[in-house]
Amino acid sequence: MIDIDRIRADTPATSRLAYLHNAGAALMPAPVVAAMKGHIDLETEIGGYAAADRESDRLDAVYGSVARLLNAAPDEIALMENATVAWQMAFYSLPFRKGERILTAEAEYAANYVAFLQVARRTGAIIDVVPSDASGELDVDALERMIDERVKLIAITWVPTNGGLVNPAAAIGKVARAHGIPYLLDACQAIGQMEVDVEALGCDMLSATGRKFLRGPRGTGFLYVRRPLLHQLEPPMIDHFAAPWVSRDAYQLRDDARRFETWENNYAARLGLGAAVDYALAIGLGPIEQRCRLLAGRLRNGLASIRGVTIRDLGRTPGAIISFTMEGYEADAIVRSAAAAGITIGASDPASTRIDAEVRSLPPVVRASPHYYNTESEIDRLIGHLAGLAPR
């Protein structure tokens, strides 16, 4: 269902290396690069302001593209400089008081958890971690039991940075909706890897990046905020784009999600993000997800056959992030060895998901993350390389 030859032709680096580091930053396809270069060239010719004016329709169309990706409305989308800022703008818009509770998961990402800690220190709010079930996924029954009138936010990472885990985001959404609790979903590693439907997920806010499985440029991200909640939130910081100065002593927040944006932006990167979203939509997120799971399964099966390799993944239906350790080797040493063989993979430190790492006594792990443009032979190439490192 996917024309791999055409897609790899759009991705020149695939002719030189086996790139399996898409959970870090995927390879951008040619249309994304062309969109960015074209706008930079235009800015060179006529200046940044005039270029933005000329391309205003294409720039506005990015909101529609992201909305289609999420099954949302364009006015529920804000375009941000990265996923962290997107998540922070949503989180810090929520008021917390002493004793109010934030519920999160064991595999929550470090950037999010330190924000919980800061708000807890400032306000006296309480962070409660929902335990995992036997599979390693957030235990939805435990979540339900933890709900009381003091819970003011449920915030989880859908697909954590390592461990292969795919948390039950839609089931969590049902609990949040049933109790009227705002639900903030970090979808950084899900966007571009799998189908994402905010209506089915039941999330009120969703943050994501462009650079990972979506194959967009670095320095791009977006925020979704469900319209009914949107009008209740005032961003922690505003400028005259987010909130026009309507009289000497007053401002008025925008009616749409662009109240979370600021006036100045990297328009070339935005056009690249839009091109990346359109590229993924043209292929289809269903076929992309199917192929990602196929390649990830092939890699896990191959790793399981190598002496000294321990797969560190969790969950009933793990995604396309494969985490493992190898007896006798530090994670960084394996990454360097693979790079010397023309294979790009990465490593993940326990500090990225500290609670999960402490619960499971994880060391730094190797992280391999195939994408739909990878081939079975590239997967086998990594397996063969690691088999060659294994003790005899």
Side-chain angles (χ1 to χ4, degrees):
M1 297 177 66
I2 297 178
D3 187 345
I4 299 298
D5 290 339
R6 178 187 67 80
I7 289 165
R8 286 175 70 84
D10 279 344
T11 315
T14 58
S15 66
R16 295 183 289 101
L17 49 80
Y19 192 87
L20 301 166
H21 193 22
N22 297 285
L27 297 173
M28 293 184 290
V32 172
V33 178
M36 297 173 68
K37 286 183 174 179
H39 193 76
I40 291 171
D41 289 342
L42 184 61
E43 288 186 342
T44 301
E45 294 296 325
I46 65 174
Y49 280 25
D53 288 342
R54 182 178 295 185
E55 296 296 309
S56 60
D57 289 345
R58 291 179 63 210
L59 289 162
D60 283 342
V62 178
Y63 294 92
S65 294
V66 174
R68 287 193 298 277
L69 182 70
L70 303 181
N71 188 29
D75 68 335
E76 295 175 312
I77 304 300
L79 302 179
M80 315 298 290
E81 54 266 47
N82 58 60
T84 299
V85 170
W87 188 96
Q88 289 171 339
M89 290 298 280
F91 175 67
Y92 284 103
S93 296
L94 297 164
F96 292 96
R97 293 179 294 185
K98 185 175 181 179
E100 293 181 335
R101 301 169 65 208
I102 300 166
L103 301 186
T104 190
E106 287 185 348
E108 190 63 12
Y109 186 54
N112 304 344
Y113 206 93
V114 296
F116 300 153
L117 290 170
Q118 184 185 55
V119 163
R121 181 180 295 175
R122 286 177 175 176
T123 68
I126 297 167
I127 310 163
D128 283 326
V129 178
V130 182
S132 301
D133 63 17
S135 76
E137 298 175 5
L138 180 141
D139 188 329
V140 178
D141 291 335
L143 171 66
E144 180 72 53
R145 292 192 298 271
M146 292 174 71
I147 300 294
D148 63 20
E149 70 282 354
R150 296 177 298 142
V151 176
K152 299 303 177 183
L153 177 68
I154 298 170
I156 69 152
T157 296
W158 187 359
V159 179
T161 192
N162 57 35
L165 179 64
V166 179
N167 269 313
I172 294 166
K174 289 181 180 178
V175 174
R177 285 282 182 91
H179 295 278
I181 299 168
Y183 175 26
L184 171 56
L185 184 63
D186 180 333
C188 275
Q189 299 287 13
I191 290 291
Q193 179 189 164
M194 58 185 66
E195 293 183 282
V196 178
D197 182 337
V198 293
E199 289 301 319
L201 291 166
C203 58
D204 297 289
M205 301 159 283
L206 179 147
S207 61
T209 185
R211 78 174 192 273
K212 297 180 183 286
F213 289 93
L214 194 53
R215 303 185 66 193
R218 294 194 71 175
T220 59
F222 52 84
L223 172 66
Y224 157 80
V225 182
R226 188 181 302 278
R227 193 179 293 113
L229 180 62
L230 172 66
H231 297 141
Q232 301 174 35
L233 301 181
E234 177 154 338
M237 296 171 288
I238 57 175
D239 73 356
H240 60 302
F241 177 83
W245 194 9
V246 294
S247 68
R248 187 180 184 93
D249 299 316
Y251 62 86
Q252 183 173 322
L253 285 167
R254 292 180 60 114
D255 288 334
D256 57 15
R258 299 189 204 187
R259 65 174 57 187
F260 296 99
E261 296 183 14
T262 55
W263 184 83
E264 180 59 26
N265 295 287
N266 184 338
Y267 291 110
R270 281 194 171 189
L271 289 172
L273 174 65
V277 173
D278 292 341
Y279 195 88
L281 289 171
I283 296 169
L285 274 299
I288 287 173
E289 180 173 353
Q290 183 179 9
R291 182 162 178 81
C292 285
R293 290 189 182 276
L294 175 70
L295 294 174
R298 186 184 186 97
L299 180 52
R300 287 191 180 93
N301 289 337
L303 291 174
S305 69
I306 300 174
R307 183 179 177 185
V309 168
T310 301
I311 299 172
R312 303 289 187 163
D313 291 345
L314 299 170
R316 295 175 180 84
T317 56
I321 302 176
I322 299 92
S323 302
F324 63 95
T325 53
M326 191 168 188
E327 185 179 343
Y329 292 91
E330 299 292 334
D332 286 343
I334 295 174
V335 173
R336 291 194 299 270
S337 173
I343 305 167
T344 303
I345 54 178
S348 182
D349 190 84
S352 295
T353 52
R354 180 168 295 281
I355 294 175
D356 174 56
E358 290 178 356
V359 168
R360 297 198 284 149
S361 301
L362 288 180
V365 297
V366 184
R367 186 175 70 167
S369 44
H371 208 355
Y372 64 88
Y373 59 72
N374 290 121
T375 62
E376 287 82 354
S377 63
E378 289 174 334
I379 301 298
D380 295 342
R381 185 174 160 190
L382 175 59
I383 294 167
H385 177 76
L386 295 170
L389 298 177
R392 303 296 180 186

